[in-house]
């Protein structure tokens, strides 16, 4: 059975790529290098990384065209469903003495008029202090720094975690090889990934970045959008520490 949408886009892709090949006089060895690159990325488990770095932001923006409210940002290659369900007070799953500066991530979920949206689910995942993701990179406990939790009845949420650093795409792999051939760096600005889900409002996927962070203006994955850059506020006053039952800052 012919799927009209598939037929329309695949035939246009075919036409577009053939025209592109003619325009650049792509030789057979260049063609084979391109297919080998994709095969190599699959063998090394980098295919999502390769595609997401170059193309996911476009799909994300197109899907966002009709949306209002906070913009979405790319899911990226490292999301996994089924992260641990957390219970308040919320703390991201982490190792004893998880390296990294203590971070309290807080905010509020509202509708377009600013009214609180109660009890949305947040599914949060981010890199550790070395820029590595659990269940992807070896040597990290499963589900480390991945968790699902809820905003309260006033739409507010707060969770304790650690501050991730900028993420560097492995330079040794096929994605890194392409980026270096283009003379680009391999960094994404430090970020938190989040999916927000609510029975009445549906689901969105986005990211939060940090004000003043490196690479905000030249994210290798072109995924920073207005309204997604959060303020980092240092909370090491005696009062703030006392609220946490601490006598000294973690960092
Ligand atoms: C990431 O952490 C990421 O978010 C993207 C888009 C690509 C590579 C690593
Ligand atoms: Fe990421």
């Amino acid at each position: 059975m012919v799927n009209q949408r598939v037929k329309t886009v695949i035939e246009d892709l075919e036409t577009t790529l053939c025209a592109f090949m003619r325009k650049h006089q792509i030789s057979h060895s260049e063609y084979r290098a391109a297919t080998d690159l994709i095969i190599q990325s699959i063998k090394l488990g980098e295919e999502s990384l390769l595609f997401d770095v170059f193309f996911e932001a476009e799909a994300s923006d197109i899907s966002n065209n009709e949306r209002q409210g906070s913009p979405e940002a790319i899911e990226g290659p490292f999301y996994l469903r089924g992260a641990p369900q957390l219970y308040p007070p919320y703390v991201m799953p982490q190792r004893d003495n998880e390296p990294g500066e203590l971070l309290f991530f807080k905010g509020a979920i509202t509708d377009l008029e600013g009214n609180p949206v109660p009890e949305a689910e947040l599914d949060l995942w981010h890199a550790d202090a070395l820029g590595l993701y659990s269940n992807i990179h070896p040597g990290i406990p499963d589900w480390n720094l991945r968790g699902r939790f809820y905003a309260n009845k006033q739409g507010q949420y707060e969770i304790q975690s650690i501050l991730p650093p900028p993420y560097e795409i492995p330079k040794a792999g096929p994605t890194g090889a392409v980026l270096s051939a283009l003379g680009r760096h391999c960094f994404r600005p430090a970020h938190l990934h989040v999916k927000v889900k609510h029975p009445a409002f549906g689901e969105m996927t986005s990211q939060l970045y940090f004000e003043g962070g490196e690479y905000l203006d030249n994210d290798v994955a072109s995924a920073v959008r207005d309204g997604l850059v959060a303020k980092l506020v240092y909370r090491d006053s005696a009062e703030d520490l006392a609220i946490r039952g601490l006598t000294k800052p973690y960092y």
Side-chain angles (χ1 to χ4, degrees), residues 41 95-96 101 149 151 188 200 214 221-222 245:
S41 77
R95 293 160 280 195
D96 294 341
E101 271 191 80
F149 59 102
R188 298 211 60 224
E214 249 187 300
S222 313

mmCIF file of all heavy atoms in Angstrom, residues 41 95-96 101 149 151 188 200 214 221-222 245:
data_model
loop_
_atom_site.group_PDB
_atom_site.id
_atom_site.type_symbol
_atom_site.label_atom_id
_atom_site.label_comp_id
_atom_site.label_asym_id
_atom_site.label_seq_id
_atom_site.Cartn_x
_atom_site.Cartn_y
_atom_site.Cartn_z
ATOM 1 N N SER A 41 29.288 4.714 11.776
ATOM 2 C CA SER A 41 28.613 5.338 12.921
ATOM 3 C C SER A 41 27.662 4.337 13.574
ATOM 4 O O SER A 41 27.532 4.314 14.801
ATOM 5 C CB SER A 41 27.886 6.620 12.502
ATOM 6 O OG SER A 41 26.685 6.319 11.840
ATOM 7 N N ARG A 95 25.737 8.790 42.648
ATOM 8 C CA ARG A 95 26.667 8.024 43.458
ATOM 9 C C ARG A 95 26.938 8.743 44.780
ATOM 10 O O ARG A 95 26.706 9.937 44.895
ATOM 11 C CB ARG A 95 27.996 7.847 42.698
ATOM 12 C CG ARG A 95 27.859 6.972 41.466
ATOM 13 C CD ARG A 95 28.980 7.189 40.478
ATOM 14 N NE ARG A 95 28.766 8.376 39.663
ATOM 15 C CZ ARG A 95 29.438 8.639 38.535
ATOM 16 N NH1 ARG A 95 30.369 7.795 38.106
ATOM 17 N NH2 ARG A 95 29.171 9.722 37.855
ATOM 18 N N ASP A 96 27.437 7.992 45.767
ATOM 19 C CA ASP A 96 27.961 8.649 46.966
ATOM 20 C C ASP A 96 29.062 9.577 46.485
ATOM 21 O O ASP A 96 29.893 9.174 45.676
ATOM 22 C CB ASP A 96 28.568 7.622 47.922
ATOM 23 C CG ASP A 96 27.499 6.679 48.472
ATOM 24 O OD1 ASP A 96 26.300 7.037 48.418
ATOM 25 O OD2 ASP A 96 27.865 5.582 48.925
ATOM 26 N N GLU A 101 29.516 20.374 41.228
ATOM 27 C CA GLU A 101 28.929 21.358 42.136
ATOM 28 C C GLU A 101 27.475 21.030 42.386
ATOM 29 O O GLU A 101 26.733 20.658 41.468
ATOM 30 C CB GLU A 101 29.018 22.762 41.522
ATOM 31 C CG GLU A 101 30.300 23.478 41.861
ATOM 32 C CD GLU A 101 30.227 24.934 41.455
ATOM 33 O OE1 GLU A 101 29.637 25.736 42.197
ATOM 34 O OE2 GLU A 101 30.745 25.246 40.375
ATOM 35 N N PHE A 149 9.954 12.937 38.182
ATOM 36 C CA PHE A 149 9.367 13.494 39.396
ATOM 37 C C PHE A 149 8.234 14.441 39.006
ATOM 38 O O PHE A 149 7.997 14.664 37.822
ATOM 39 C CB PHE A 149 10.447 14.194 40.236
ATOM 40 C CG PHE A 149 11.167 15.315 39.526
ATOM 41 C CD1 PHE A 149 10.842 16.644 39.778
ATOM 42 C CD2 PHE A 149 12.167 15.044 38.595
ATOM 43 C CE1 PHE A 149 11.500 17.678 39.122
ATOM 44 C CE2 PHE A 149 12.815 16.075 37.920
ATOM 45 C CZ PHE A 149 12.475 17.397 38.189
ATOM 46 N N ALA A 151 5.898 18.120 39.521
ATOM 47 C CA ALA A 151 5.667 19.463 40.059
ATOM 48 C C ALA A 151 4.532 19.351 41.088
ATOM 49 O O ALA A 151 3.703 18.441 41.018
ATOM 50 C CB ALA A 151 5.275 20.416 38.943
ATOM 51 N N ARG A 188 28.909 21.102 23.113
ATOM 52 C CA ARG A 188 27.591 21.657 23.412
ATOM 53 C C ARG A 188 27.709 22.412 24.730
ATOM 54 O O ARG A 188 28.452 21.994 25.607
ATOM 55 C CB ARG A 188 26.557 20.538 23.600
ATOM 56 C CG ARG A 188 26.332 19.665 22.363
ATOM 57 C CD ARG A 188 24.892 19.159 22.331
ATOM 58 N NE ARG A 188 24.019 20.298 22.290
ATOM 59 C CZ ARG A 188 22.906 20.423 23.022
ATOM 60 N NH1 ARG A 188 22.520 19.455 23.817
ATOM 61 N NH2 ARG A 188 22.181 21.517 22.941
ATOM 62 N N ALA A 200 -3.545 16.854 30.494
ATOM 63 C CA ALA A 200 -4.346 17.822 29.737
ATOM 64 C C ALA A 200 -3.517 18.603 28.710
ATOM 65 O O ALA A 200 -4.055 19.088 27.725
ATOM 66 C CB ALA A 200 -5.032 18.789 30.694
ATOM 67 N N GLU A 214 29.696 28.695 28.583
ATOM 68 C CA GLU A 214 30.452 28.609 27.329
ATOM 69 C C GLU A 214 29.621 27.894 26.261
ATOM 70 O O GLU A 214 28.826 27.002 26.597
ATOM 71 C CB GLU A 214 31.723 27.785 27.577
ATOM 72 C CG GLU A 214 33.017 28.603 27.504
ATOM 73 C CD GLU A 214 34.230 27.683 27.585
ATOM 74 O OE1 GLU A 214 34.361 26.983 28.619
ATOM 75 O OE2 GLU A 214 35.011 27.662 26.627
ATOM 76 N N ALA A 221 25.379 21.438 18.190
ATOM 77 C CA ALA A 221 24.095 20.875 17.749
ATOM 78 C C ALA A 221 23.054 21.964 17.458
ATOM 79 O O ALA A 221 21.887 21.644 17.190
ATOM 80 C CB ALA A 221 23.558 19.904 18.800
ATOM 81 N N SER A 222 23.450 23.229 17.500
ATOM 82 C CA SER A 222 22.554 24.370 17.172
ATOM 83 C C SER A 222 21.203 24.276 17.875
ATOM 84 O O SER A 222 20.163 24.494 17.253
ATOM 85 C CB SER A 222 22.303 24.448 15.656
ATOM 86 O OG SER A 222 23.509 24.337 14.944
ATOM 87 N N GLY A 245 19.743 21.843 55.889
ATOM 88 C CA GLY A 245 20.332 21.066 56.975
ATOM 89 C C GLY A 245 21.826 20.903 56.811
ATOM 90 O O GLY A 245 22.421 19.927 57.268
#
